């Protein structure tokens, strides 16, 4: 059996792995964007609801202030009609109460106004974020669909080729290949790098290097277990 089939197998498996990695990442990214979109939408709804509440409360405040102003004016008129100090004090007291309430409401209205301004700004920002996010999302969804359909074709042709390569390889070697492939992050067949293993860098004895170059036997790295080959073998 030649090393060539193992080298081809590794090439096919690397492509398959890349395809899976690509697919593995895209759907989760689209999912993330979907969640972001959802959360912005919810925040916008919440902020708009709060804006409505503030509107209603501000209006209530205005109505109450008008009411208080009317009452204060009436109390002022009554001041001219009092006949003793006790009545006078009572009216002044009531008027002070009214004025206190009015300034409390005025302060509250001011803080509502500030909150409204902040909320309106934040809604505006979020709506523009949402716009660009939705654009990004539809772009990615399109890309994802394209990648899925392309990779489905590529995957099935790679798997066909894989079966052809596997057919000519010793079952024993395949089982070693699979073990190393899983243990070494998908890289089971490597090129020599000088006199070292192209996978882990371990030194390869000269005798072995010569045999690898002459393709006389299948060799593996003593340290990482990967199959070794040489692009500049002495046979060609
Ligand atoms: Zn190695």
């Amino acid at each position: 059996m030649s090393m060539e089939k193992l080298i081809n197998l590794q090439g096919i498996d690397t492509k398959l792995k890349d395809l899976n990695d690509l697919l593995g990442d895209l759907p989760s990214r689209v999912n993330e964007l979907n969640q972001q979109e959802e959360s912005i939408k919810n925040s916008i709804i919440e902020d708009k609801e709060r804006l409505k509440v503030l509107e209603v409360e501000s209006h209530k405040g205005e109505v109450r202030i008008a009411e208080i102003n009317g009452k204060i004016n009436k109390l002022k008129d009554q001041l001219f009609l009092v006949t003793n100090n006790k009545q006078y004090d009572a009216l002044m007291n009531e008027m002070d109460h009214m004025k206190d309430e009015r300034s409390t409401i005025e302060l509250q209205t001011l803080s509502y106004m500030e909150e409204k301004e902040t909320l309106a700004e934040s809604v505006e920002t979020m709506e523009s974020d949402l716009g660009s996010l939705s654009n990004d999302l539809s772009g990615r969804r399109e890309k994802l669909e394209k990648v899925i359909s392309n990779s489905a074709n590529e995957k099935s042709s790679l798997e066909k080729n894989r079966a052809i390569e596997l057919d000519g390889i010793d079952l024993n070697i395949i089982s070693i290949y699979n073990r190393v492939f899983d243990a070494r992050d998908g890289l089971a067949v490597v090129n020599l790098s000088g006199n070292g293993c192209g996978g882990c860098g371990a030194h390869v004895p000269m005798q072995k290097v010569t045999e690898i170059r002459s393709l006389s036997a299948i060799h593996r790295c003593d340290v990482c277990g990967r199959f070794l080959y040489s692009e500049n073998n002495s046979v060609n």
Side-chain angles (χ1 to χ4, degrees):
M1 192 217 76
S2 75
M3 262 313 278
E4 209 185 320
K5 281 190 165 282
L6 269 183
I7 297 168
N8 292 343
L9 185 64
Q10 175 70 67
I12 291 168
D13 282 342
T14 299
K15 280 181 190 158
L16 281 169
K17 194 166 173 280
D18 287 348
L19 271 183
N20 283 333
D21 287 351
L22 185 68
L23 277 180
D25 201 30
L26 262 183
S28 81
R29 265 197 237 159
V30 170
N31 205 21
E32 242 170 60
L33 287 174
N34 278 335
Q35 278 172 358
Q36 247 179 48
E37 191 183 31
E38 196 61 27
S39 119
I40 292 180
K41 276 184 185 165
N42 286 337
S43 298
I44 289 177
I45 291 172
E46 273 171 28
D47 281 3
K48 282 185 171 170
E49 271 166 11
R50 177 68 184 152
L51 275 170
K52 264 187 221 159
V53 170
L54 289 174
E55 207 64 57
V56 169
E57 289 303 315
S58 299
H59 181 68
K60 273 189 202 162
E62 273 168 32
V63 170
R64 181 62 184 151
I65 284 176
E67 221 173 73
I68 289 170
N69 285 340
K71 277 188 183 168
I72 289 175
N73 283 338
K74 261 187 212 161
L75 287 171
K76 275 181 187 163
D77 291 343
Q78 284 175 36
L79 277 180
F80 294 109
L81 306 173
V82 295
T83 53
N84 60 51
N85 280 346
K86 209 179 160 192
Q87 277 183 341
Y88 182 83
D89 287 345
L91 284 176
M92 285 306 280
N93 205 4
E94 204 182 337
M95 225 152 53
D96 283 345
H97 272 299
M98 290 285 142
K99 284 176 182 169
D100 281 349
E101 192 188 342
R102 188 174 60 188
S103 49
T104 305
I105 295 172
E106 279 167 351
L107 273 178
Q108 186 64 262
T109 306
L110 200 66
S111 99
Y112 285 158
M113 272 168 64
E114 281 167 4
E115 194 184 344
K116 271 198 279 188
E117 232 170 84
T118 312
L119 280 174
E121 269 171 35
S122 122
V123 166
E124 202 181 314
T125 309
M126 285 191 291
E127 278 177 341
S128 109
D129 284 353
L130 193 63
S132 47
L133 196 64
S134 301
N135 272 341
D136 194 12
L137 255 175
S138 65
R140 283 188 196 230
R141 273 197 211 102
E142 239 171 67
K143 195 175 156 199
L144 184 63
E145 277 161 21
K146 212 178 276 175
V147 168
I148 286 174
S149 83
N150 285 348
S151 66
N153 293 336
E154 200 179 340
K155 212 171 162 176
S156 78
S157 99
L158 282 170
E159 269 158 5
K160 234 178 266 169
N161 290 339
R162 190 177 198 275
I164 294 169
E165 296 299 338
L166 272 185
D167 199 35
I169 306 176
D170 195 274
L171 281 180
N172 196 28
I173 299 283
I174 291 174
S175 109
I176 296 171
Y177 171 90
N178 288 336
R179 243 185 297 138
V180 177
F181 187 90
D182 289 340
R184 300 294 175 201
D185 200 28
L187 196 61
V189 184
V190 294
N191 192 10
L192 279 178
S193 165
N195 284 343
C197 165
C200 71
H203 176 74
V204 180
M206 212 43 226
Q207 172 67 25
K208 217 167 169 178
V209 171
T210 311
E211 284 177 21
I212 290 167
R213 292 217 168 113
S214 67
L215 298 170
S216 64
I218 286 181
H219 281 294
R220 293 165 58 208
C221 171
D222 290 332
V223 176
C224 68
R226 292 184 176 101
F227 292 94
L228 297 166
Y229 70 97
S230 172
E231 269 167 1
N232 12 308
N233 55 65
S234 50
V235 173
N236 290 347

